[in-house]
């Protein structure tokens, strides 16, 4: 049986403590002591008393792995273990993966944010994700509702690389609404978890999951986060791990962006498009900035390609009433309604209670 799997299955040993022990002994020696000489471990008596081998968990994990060629158990010395994740203070000794493990070796950016994100926030994240994968980056996120989900979808739409880090067992679909997304990622990307197969959703799992999202990524982009958001936990972990932190700004009148504005005040880079991220990542993760600039989308500064540019400029990124649009644009009511319908069909705006919101930037 694999040494790492046996050690990881011991109750009472967390990732941080395992790393402390591995600084003093090899993995095979740690396994040997756990199995036959626990008293010799440099741990307190209280901790040693709490340790319990769980061979049944190992058997169940190996049985899960044998079910499919897409099921993988990746220990910290495995060739597909995410390289940056090894460098944090408490990396998981073992990851369970479903899908193509090659995605774990690509340089990646984490996109995280609110579960109750606005249409504009989700549209921006979708487009940002799609742009980043065309420039050679993978997208990591937590497959949660809201920003996480559309981050994965944007990558998948471009046939790009995406990794979902789960707070459940890798065989558990959570939230249930992402059943289809889960299977898309399994087919086109990779799902990973440090939790054993069969582990159900538990609130305490998700903050721990966030350290993996941050740890495997070159940087973390936060969209639509309140001050108490779990996304700010991911950003803090990223800073502690020496990663880059980015934040998408929004309306100062909306509490939905307070966390993002706080991060910017603390030194996070303000993000308006993928170029802002690429510039900051210069020299990191083996990325070549000049090569990526060649495939970066060109921005037309005079906006000549924008449909109904004057009308589009009248629709804000928060709900804008029809009366405001008419007054600002100076167009007749019939023409405004006709052009708004066309813009909605093209995905530039969306009808919401109170009027319209703009979804795409220039």
């Amino acid at each position: 049986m694999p040494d790492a799997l046996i050690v990881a299955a011991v109750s009472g040993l967390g990732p941080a403590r395992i790393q402390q022990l591995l600084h003093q002994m090899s993995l095979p020696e740690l396994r040997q002591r756990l199995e036959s000489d626990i008293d010799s471990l440099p741990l307190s008596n209280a901790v040693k008393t709490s340790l319990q081998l769980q061979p049944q968990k190992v058997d169940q994990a190996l049985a899960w792995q044998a079910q499919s060629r897409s099921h993988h158990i990746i220990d910290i010395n495995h060739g597909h273990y995410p390289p940056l994740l090894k460098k944090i203070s408490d990396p998981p000794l073992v990851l369970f993966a479903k899908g193509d493990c090659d995605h774990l070796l690509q340089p990646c950016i984490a996109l995280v944010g609110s579960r109750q994100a606005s249409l504009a926030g989700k549209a921006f994240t979708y487009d940002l994700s799609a742009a980043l994968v065309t420039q050679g980056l993978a997208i990591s996120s937590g497959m949660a509702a809201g920003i996480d989900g559309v981050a994965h979808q944007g990558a998948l739409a471009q046939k790009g690389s995406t990794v979902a880090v789960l707070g459940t067992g890798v065989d558990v679909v959570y939230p249930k609404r992402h059943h289809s997304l889960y299977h898309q990622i399994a087919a086109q990307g990779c799902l990973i978890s440090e939790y054993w197969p069969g582990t159900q959703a538990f609130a305490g799992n998700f903050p721990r999951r966030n350290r993996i999202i941050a740890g495997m990524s070159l940087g973390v982009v936060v969209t639509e986060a309140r001050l108490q958001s779990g996304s700010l936990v991911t950003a803090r972990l990223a800073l502690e791990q020496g990663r880059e932190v980015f934040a998408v700004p929004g309306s100062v009148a909306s509490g939905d962006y307070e966390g993002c504005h706080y991060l910017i005040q603390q030194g996070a880079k303000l993000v308006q498009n993928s170029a802002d991220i690429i510039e900051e990542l210069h020299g990191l993760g083996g990325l070549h900035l000049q090569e990526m600039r060649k495939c970066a989308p060109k921005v037309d500064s005079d906006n000549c390609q924008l449909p109904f540019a004057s009308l589009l400029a009248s629709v804000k990124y928060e709900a804008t009433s029809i009366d405001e649009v008419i007054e600002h644009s100076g167009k007749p009511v019939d023409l405004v309604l006709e052009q708004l319908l066309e813009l909605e069909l093209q995905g530039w705006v969306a009808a919401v209670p109170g009027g319209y919101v703009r979804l795409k930037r220039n």
Side-chain angles (χ1 to χ4, degrees):
M1 281 187 190
D3 295 331
L5 199 60
I6 292 169
V7 172
V10 176
S11 64
L13 271 185
R17 184 166 282 137
I18 289 174
Q19 288 305 307
Q20 291 169 2
L21 291 170
L22 289 178
H23 284 133
Q24 302 177 57
M25 65 192 75
S26 68
L27 185 58
E29 181 183 353
L30 177 55
R31 171 191 173 176
Q32 185 273 324
R33 291 203 200 186
L34 285 167
E35 290 182 324
S36 59
D37 193 14
I38 284 180
D39 287 340
S40 70
L41 290 172
L43 299 169
S44 69
N45 289 332
V47 171
K48 285 187 279 193
T49 302
S50 72
L51 300 183
Q52 184 177 358
L53 290 162
Q54 300 183 89
Q56 73 282 359
K57 286 181 68 174
V58 176
D59 292 339
Q60 290 166 3
L62 292 172
W64 169 82
Q65 183 184 35
Q67 289 172 5
S68 171
R69 294 179 63 182
S70 69
H71 293 183
H72 311 278
I73 298 174
I74 302 172
D75 68 54
I76 199 166
N77 296 315
H78 192 284
H80 281 96
Y81 195 94
L84 288 179
L85 188 59
K86 291 183 182 182
K87 299 181 180 181
I88 70 173
S89 62
D90 55 349
L93 187 62
V94 168
L95 290 170
F96 300 94
K98 183 173 181 178
D100 184 351
C101 294
D102 285 346
H103 294 282
L104 302 179
L105 301 181
Q106 287 195 232
C108 69
I109 287 289
L111 303 186
V112 299
S114 172
R115 286 175 168 79
Q116 289 81 42
S118 68
L119 288 171
K122 289 192 282 190
F124 177 84
T125 301
Y126 183 97
D127 290 344
L128 181 64
S129 174
L132 289 171
V133 297
T134 64
Q135 297 170 48
L137 289 164
I139 300 300
S140 61
S141 199
M143 210 183 78
I147 295 298
D148 288 24
V150 296
H152 294 303
Q153 290 165 353
L156 292 169
Q158 293 294 321
K159 302 191 183 305
S161 180
T162 191
V163 177
V165 185
L166 307 185
T168 62
V170 76
D171 58 337
V172 175
V173 181
Y174 181 85
K176 294 296 184 186
R177 75 181 76 171
H178 280 169
H179 182 270
S180 175
L181 178 60
Y182 171 94
H183 289 288
Q184 278 186 277
I185 297 172
Q188 293 180 236
C190 192
L191 302 140
I192 64 171
S193 177
E194 69 177 320
Y195 297 106
W196 295 69
T199 302
Q200 299 299 309
F202 177 72
N205 292 355
F206 296 94
R208 289 180 52 77
R209 177 274 309 270
N210 291 348
R211 88 187 193 286
I212 299 178
I213 296 175
M216 69 181 294
S217 306
L218 291 163
V220 173
V221 183
V222 181
T223 304
E224 282 197 34
R226 290 181 171 271
L227 284 174
Q228 302 303 317
S229 168
S231 299
L232 264 66
V233 174
T234 309
R236 176 180 57 78
L237 291 167
L239 284 172
E240 291 175 356
Q241 296 164 0
R243 308 297 189 257
E244 303 299 315
V245 176
F246 306 88
V248 179
S251 170
V252 295
S254 171
D256 293 335
Y257 284 92
E258 284 180 339
C260 295
H261 296 157
Y262 169 79
L263 290 174
I264 292 169
Q265 289 174 330
Q266 299 302 307
K269 178 156 184 177
L270 185 153
V271 171
Q272 298 182 90
N273 51 50
S274 61
D276 294 327
I277 296 170
I278 301 305
E279 290 286 349
E280 197 70 16
L281 294 181
H282 176 52
L284 293 177
L287 297 177
H288 301 288
L289 186 60
Q290 296 303 322
E291 290 180 9
M292 290 196 295
R293 276 179 174 157
K294 293 177 184 176
C295 53
K298 300 295 188 295
V299 177
D300 190 346
S301 59
D302 62 7
N303 294 337
C304 63
Q305 300 301 315
L306 293 179
F308 313 124
S310 62
L311 181 66
L312 190 57
S314 304
V315 184
K316 303 174 185 176
Y317 290 97
E318 59 268 3
T320 312
S321 70
I322 291 290
D323 290 341
E324 286 182 85
V325 175
I326 293 169
E327 181 180 354
H328 186 275
S329 67
K331 296 177 182 288
V333 175
D334 291 348
L335 183 59
V336 167
L337 294 175
E338 178 185 331
Q339 291 185 350
L340 280 174
L341 177 59
E342 182 64 26
L343 288 170
E344 188 175 6
L345 292 173
Q346 292 183 29
W348 284 93
V349 303
V352 297
Y356 287 81
V357 294
R358 185 166 171 176
L359 298 179
K360 294 181 181 179
R361 296 178 184 268
N362 295 353

